[in-house]
Amino acid sequence: MVDFFTNKASRAVFLGLIFLSLATPRSWAWGREGHRLTALVAEAYLTPEAKAQIKELLSSESLADVAPWADTYRSDHPETAPWHFVDIPKSAAAFDRDRDCPVSSTDPKSPWRDCVTDRILYFEGRLGDTSLPPADRAMALKFLVHLIGDVHQPFHAMGDDRGGNNVGVHFLGSTQCGSYTCNLHGVWDDSMIEERGLSEPKYTALLLQEIKDNNWEKMSGGAPSTWANISHHYAVEAYAPNGALITHEYYNEEIKIVDAELALGGLRLARVLNRLLVAPEADQAGRKPLPAPEAK
């Protein structure tokens, strides 16, 4: 990948170190459209059995409809905010659960901690537990759709500068990104996706074609900690200093990562749901135990 921000010669061309004094609100994962795109990709890979159970749990809503729900829920339930990310230090080689995933603030004795990698596994167990009321399983499904999207947004796996929220940037010549002043995290959440200029059906079709062209189906597995480590690597590579000018060169390189992470997030979401939502007659074990938290 082009080294835009560490090479001194490139820095003179690509950066305007203006050092903005910006008040940057906290951004949360992919924006609404990014979450919907991940869910739309997943819907294309669901088994008939998974589709039927999703319809029972969500009624008239689709996965794409509920994909942004957890951000709205967080507004009235701030204790869920840490579930959306994992603060791996920029200087770290990989995720470390003891360092990066704090003990639950509301239930310190819980084996489940307050970061996205733990909470994906927690909600997998909740969704797969057929003894729970449908409303509880539906909530678990909504969280899973959202959190698996979250862990594929690179800056949700880096703790420095609040995941890039504190890094003010100029995006393609502007300091204004929609209704807020541009920051690095928000550029990855929304601005680069918007710059594509594609309708939702066309963007979904592009992602599905990229999956086929690149044979990404074989990459649909893995654990949440692995996904977080990959996202962290991308965030480190794409990090920009405060006041940076995000140029077309940067955009043209990094939109490839955005597209890949949206597509892979959808594939992995589908794989998880297809595993958990089997036909009732195939579920001989009854209640499914919670998966164990990952140690590292």
Side-chain angles (χ1 to χ4, degrees):
M1 191 182 75
V2 178
D3 184 358
F4 294 104
F5 301 112
T6 59
N7 181 278
K8 291 183 179 179
S10 297
R11 190 176 303 165
V13 177
F14 297 118
L15 286 183
L17 292 180
I18 304 168
F19 299 103
L20 306 170
S21 297
L22 298 175
T24 53
R26 181 83 190 217
S27 298
W28 299 97
W30 299 120
R32 180 180 182 277
E33 194 55 42
H35 277 293
R36 283 185 57 84
L37 288 166
T38 293
L40 287 165
V41 169
E43 287 174 346
Y45 283 88
L46 293 173
T47 63
E49 293 83 2
K51 288 180 180 178
Q53 291 206 40
I54 288 168
K55 184 172 180 57
E56 287 186 14
L57 290 171
L58 298 182
S59 186
S60 61
E61 292 184 295
S62 68
L63 289 186
D65 292 335
V66 304
W69 169 86
D71 280 338
T72 302
Y73 184 83
R74 185 200 66 246
S75 297
D76 293 325
H77 297 83
E79 72 279 3
T80 69
W83 302 357
H84 293 247
F85 56 86
V86 56
D87 281 342
I88 306 173
K90 182 171 177 281
S91 60
F95 168 72
D96 183 299
R97 186 169 181 258
D98 288 335
R99 179 192 63 210
D100 306 328
C101 194
V103 171
S104 172
S105 60
T106 56
D107 186 6
K109 294 183 179 180
S110 171
W112 300 102
R113 298 189 180 189
D114 281 351
C115 73
V116 69
T117 50
D118 259 41
R119 291 297 163 170
I120 287 172
L121 294 174
Y122 171 73
F123 285 115
E124 281 187 25
R126 299 279 291 177
L127 178 60
D129 185 350
T130 54
S131 73
L132 291 177
D136 290 354
R137 296 183 69 219
M139 177 178 280
L141 174 58
K142 292 177 182 180
F143 266 114
L144 269 180
V145 174
H146 190 93
L147 298 182
I148 290 178
D150 279 351
V151 78
H152 286 85
Q153 206 278 44
F155 285 93
H156 268 247
M158 190 177 79
D160 298 52
D161 298 310
R162 295 171 61 243
N165 278 284
N166 289 347
V167 178
V169 297
H170 284 69
F171 179 66
L172 305 181
S174 177
T175 61
Q176 194 68 21
C177 292
S179 61
Y180 63 92
T181 48
C182 298
N183 66 74
L184 186 60
H185 190 118
V187 163
W188 277 75
D189 273 354
D190 292 302
S191 301
M192 290 205 289
I193 292 173
E194 291 171 0
E195 183 64 19
R196 269 288 196 190
L198 296 174
S199 67
E200 190 170 86
K202 287 184 178 180
Y203 208 148
T204 304
L206 180 147
L207 296 175
L208 293 174
Q209 189 61 50
E210 287 191 353
I211 288 170
K212 295 185 183 301
D213 291 346
N214 294 288
N215 196 24
W216 283 341
E217 290 97 336
K218 65 183 181 182
M219 299 171 65
S220 64
S225 60
T226 301
W227 307 336
N229 281 332
I230 295 169
S231 287
H232 176 257
H233 170 77
Y234 288 147
V236 171
E237 290 291 306
Y239 182 82
N242 193 47
L245 176 63
I246 302 299
T247 65
H248 286 284
E249 289 85 354
Y250 179 100
Y251 170 80
N252 290 335
E253 286 294 316
E254 300 303 344
I255 193 61
K256 301 171 188 176
I257 303 301
V258 171
D259 289 351
E261 288 293 271
L262 291 171
L264 288 168
L267 280 172
R268 291 162 180 164
L269 172 60
R271 185 182 180 100
V272 168
L273 298 182
N274 289 338
R275 170 169 52 84
L276 296 174
L277 300 176
V278 297
E281 58 270 19
D283 183 12
Q284 300 296 325
R287 178 173 178 168
K288 296 180 177 64
L290 287 170
E294 295 176 286
K296 292 286 185 181

